[in-house]
Amino acid sequence: MVVRRGEPFLAVDWGTTNRRVYRIEHGAVAATERDDRGVTAVAAFAAEAAAIRDRFGDLPMLLAGMVGSNIGWQVAPYVAAPAGVADLAAKLHRVDDRTAIVPGVSTLAGGRPDVMRGEEVQLLGAVAAELVPGDSLLAQPGTHCKWAEMAGGRIAGFTTAMTGELFGLLRQHGLLAAQLQGAVSANAAYLDGVEEAKRRDLTASLFGIRAAKMLGTREDADAAAFASGLLIGSDVVARIESTTHDHIHILAGPELGALYAAAIEANGRAAHIVDSHAAFAAGIIAIGTALP
Amino acid sequence: MVVRRGEPFLAVDWGTTNRRVYRIEHGAVAATERDDRGVTAVAAFAAEAAAIRDRFGDLPMLLAGMVGSNIGWQVAPYVAAPAGVADLAAKLHRVDDRTAIVPGVSTLAGGRPDVMRGEEVQLLGAVAAELVPGDSLLAQPGTHCKWAEMAGGRIAGFTTAMTGELFGLLRQHGLLAAQLQGAVSANAAYLDGVEEAKRRDLTASLFGIRAAKMLGTREDADAAAFASGLLIGSDVVARIESTTHDHIHILAGPELGALYAAAIEANGRAAHIVDSHAAFAAGIIAIGTALP
């Protein structure tokens, strides 16, 4: 047993480039802190865990995210979807008596491989905290945007899109980079991009950003917002096609949340932004205390 | 008048990074040479033109490609599609009495801006040389793949896709780069990518390349071919949707031509590879001698 119901413990959402530590007391977050000690910045994980206990208390510890991958501390093998709180709790990877890693979730549905590590805690926590219904579609925007279909409170299936990473690549390298340095908000140019995405012809629509400059049909100041709308819109339109949910929940901060909400609403569905930190805390408490 | 029918002249296909010079005699290519003196490598265009005449003959000269853009010698404004040989010949940009630049072609059809510079010569030449029918769909693969709908021997409309550039970005930068160093050919992995492209969900299909590695469902040696099939297939499936042509002609060398042909055939259309150098020569002769 790692965590006893009702007793305090530490939780770490430990990603590739960042990390957030929570001290959980009486089923709620008593303290939290974010830093840039992601797994790629850490070599000695046992020493890092000891340092976390020095700062936050000498308590049992549950870790989630890339810390359980082959670039992390120890590999916690994926659990195949559908997966709920009990499934993940049953497959916690024990580092020692007081330290465990939550496994990621995998799917091969429809011959399409996909994986997540860390997002599963937020997804299950959103349901556990009743922030979203047990049957719902949740989006987790970011470098790699996750879309999870929840059924009966479990992760039934999911899809990851490289939306944020593609935007970053285009903004840093290649033909469009110089044009894409402007600000992004859910403005008219953004919504034009969302509309363009409905063609489902992304590589051609991207070249259209260049052509619009050559023909003078769009100011470069609007190009980044258009490109963001095009990429997020491409993600949304593909997901809308394969879901029956009229309401879509977004686990994100306010900025990215507003962009996804605008694209979802432009595609005729209602969007609701959910607090992703609250969801993580609820999820890690549920997994930590679900142990037999 | 720049070129008299039947008299020799020089033609230059002058792109961003490369250039090909042709000496045309009696309506045929008498000499040709390719070098890396693209417009980005050249500052003094008049001196370059003089050097070309020193090597190939003191003859009238027709230039095409990025040499007519705002990073080239002088700007030859776009001619709006539909555009044929006579339309371009009527709008040649005269640098001096013996030197002219072929204008590019633009479109705003369906609210979708697009431009080409240089490709128009190959397209019109392919028809002029009877390498393709006057009503046909032509693909010109490359960093930016052009697809042109020809009608009555003119360029009726066209679409550019950033297919090759996106592949290059993914291969050089970001999450997938390390996986995409393998060889690309029209093999089984390539055709799997073409099949995946039919989902029209490119950003998610790209993340699937990572997930396939994590779940061990595809060897990394096959990842580059799969990604190439996915990108080229995305391009093909979008173009197939909006054309009635059962036969598609590809202006390309044998390697890229074979990849596009395989993707086109996997989408139920017949593919025919056409010699792009022969098409350029025929096009520049047609434009050069169409002058009144």
Side-chain angles (χ1 to χ4, degrees):
Chain A
M1 188 176 297
V2 176
V3 178
R4 286 177 198 276
R5 192 177 298 264
E7 294 197 355
F9 70 100
L10 304 181
V12 187
D13 188 3
W14 207 330
T16 305
T17 52
N18 293 293
R19 175 175 78 175
R20 184 178 279 278
V21 180
Y22 300 80
R23 189 173 66 243
I24 309 291
E25 293 177 6
H26 311 297
V29 177
T32 181
E33 199 177 289
R34 181 172 182 273
D35 64 30
D36 59 1
R37 303 286 295 160
V39 296
T40 52
V42 167
F45 283 92
E48 284 289 324
I52 290 170
R53 285 190 168 103
D54 284 347
R55 287 212 309 283
F56 289 87
D58 188 25
L59 295 167
M61 192 183 296
L62 264 185
L63 314 172
M66 292 302 283
V67 68
S69 75
N70 60 5
I71 59 165
W73 190 353
Q74 292 182 11
V75 174
Y78 295 110
V79 171
V85 165
D87 304 295
L88 299 189
K91 295 287 185 181
L92 285 184
H93 174 83
R94 310 295 175 113
V95 176
D96 59 39
D97 281 354
R98 306 174 68 215
T99 312
I101 303 175
V102 178
V105 179
S106 66
T107 177
L108 283 167
R112 191 170 204 170
D114 213 331
V115 292
M116 64 168 65
R117 275 201 190 276
E119 295 90 351
E120 66 286 344
V121 179
Q122 281 187 14
L123 294 168
L124 296 169
V127 174
E130 300 184 348
L131 299 170
V132 306
D135 296 277
S136 54
L137 178 64
L138 272 72
Q140 292 169 296
T143 306
H144 302 141
C145 182
K146 305 283 180 191
W147 294 79
E149 193 80 34
M150 309 297 290
R154 299 164 84 205
I155 300 166
F158 62 96
T159 303
T160 308
M162 281 182 50
T163 317
E165 178 171 338
L166 268 187
F167 187 62
L169 287 177
L170 292 165
R171 214 174 195 180
Q172 287 173 62
H173 309 284
L175 180 76
L176 302 180
Q179 278 183 264
L180 299 184
Q181 300 305 312
V184 173
S185 68
N187 60 9
Y190 177 86
L191 292 173
D192 284 348
V194 172
E195 192 62 29
E196 173 70 15
K198 294 179 182 173
R199 296 182 191 256
R200 306 190 73 165
D201 189 8
L202 181 58
T203 59
S205 297
L206 285 170
F207 187 82
I209 295 171
R210 173 68 169 184
K213 177 187 178 71
M214 304 314 290
L215 298 179
T217 59
R218 187 183 306 109
E219 297 294 324
D220 270 1
D222 287 333
F226 179 87
S228 176
L230 173 61
L231 285 163
I232 292 175
S234 296
D235 194 0
V236 168
V237 76
R239 243 48 66 204
I240 291 287
E241 183 184 62
S242 58
T243 188
T244 56
H245 292 292
D246 290 329
H247 292 259
I248 299 175
H249 296 83
I250 308 167
L251 288 155
E255 286 180 29
L256 209 45
L259 293 178
Y260 269 77
I264 288 167
E265 283 164 8
N267 278 279
R269 309 292 170 105
H272 309 276
I273 298 177
V274 176
D275 181 336
S276 55
H277 300 303
F280 180 85
I284 205 77
I285 292 168
I287 294 166
T289 58
L291 296 173
Chain B
M1 188 178 294
V2 176
V3 177
R4 285 177 200 275
R5 190 178 300 265
E7 294 195 355
F9 70 100
L10 304 181
V12 187
D13 189 2
W14 206 329
T16 304
T17 52
N18 293 293
R19 175 175 79 175
R20 182 178 281 277
V21 180
Y22 300 80
R23 188 172 70 242
I24 309 291
E25 295 177 7
H26 310 298
V29 177
T32 182
E33 198 176 290
R34 182 173 183 271
D35 63 31
D36 59 0
R37 303 286 294 161
V39 297
T40 53
V42 167
F45 284 92
E48 284 289 323
I52 290 171
R53 286 190 168 104
D54 284 347
R55 287 213 309 283
F56 289 87
D58 188 25
L59 294 168
M61 192 184 293
L62 266 186
L63 313 172
M66 294 301 283
V67 68
S69 76
N70 60 4
I71 59 165
W73 190 353
Q74 293 182 11
V75 174
Y78 295 110
V79 171
V85 166
D87 305 295
L88 299 189
K91 295 288 187 183
L92 286 184
H93 174 82
R94 309 297 174 111
V95 176
D96 59 40
D97 282 354
R98 306 173 69 216
T99 313
I101 302 175
V102 178
V105 180
S106 66
T107 178
L108 283 167
R112 191 169 203 173
D114 212 330
V115 292
M116 63 169 65
R117 274 201 189 276
E119 295 90 350
E120 66 286 345
V121 178
Q122 281 188 14
L123 294 169
L124 295 169
V127 174
E130 299 185 345
L131 299 170
V132 307
D135 295 277
S136 54
L137 178 64
L138 273 73
Q140 292 168 295
T143 307
H144 302 141
C145 181
K146 305 283 178 193
W147 294 79
E149 193 80 34
M150 308 298 289
R154 299 165 83 205
I155 301 166
F158 63 95
T159 303
T160 308
M162 282 183 50
T163 318
E165 177 169 340
L166 268 186
F167 187 62
L169 287 178
L170 293 165
R171 213 173 195 181
Q172 288 173 61
H173 309 284
L175 180 76
L176 302 180
Q179 279 182 265
L180 299 184
Q181 300 306 313
V184 173
S185 68
N187 60 9
Y190 176 86
L191 292 173
D192 284 347
V194 172
E195 192 62 29
E196 172 71 15
K198 293 179 183 173
R199 297 182 191 256
R200 304 190 74 165
D201 189 8
L202 182 58
T203 59
S205 296
L206 285 171
F207 187 82
I209 294 171
R210 173 68 170 185
K213 177 187 178 72
M214 305 314 291
L215 298 179
T217 59
R218 186 183 307 111
E219 296 293 326
D220 271 1
D222 286 332
F226 179 87
S228 175
L230 173 61
L231 285 163
I232 292 175
S234 296
D235 194 359
V236 168
V237 76
R239 242 49 64 204
I240 290 288
E241 182 184 61
S242 59
T243 187
T244 57
H245 291 293
D246 290 330
H247 292 260
I248 298 174
H249 295 83
I250 309 167
L251 287 155
E255 285 180 31
L256 210 44
L259 294 177
Y260 269 77
I264 287 167
E265 283 164 6
N267 278 279
R269 308 292 169 108
H272 308 277
I273 298 177
V274 175
D275 181 335
S276 55
H277 300 304
F280 180 84
I284 205 77
I285 292 168
I287 294 166
T289 59
L291 296 173

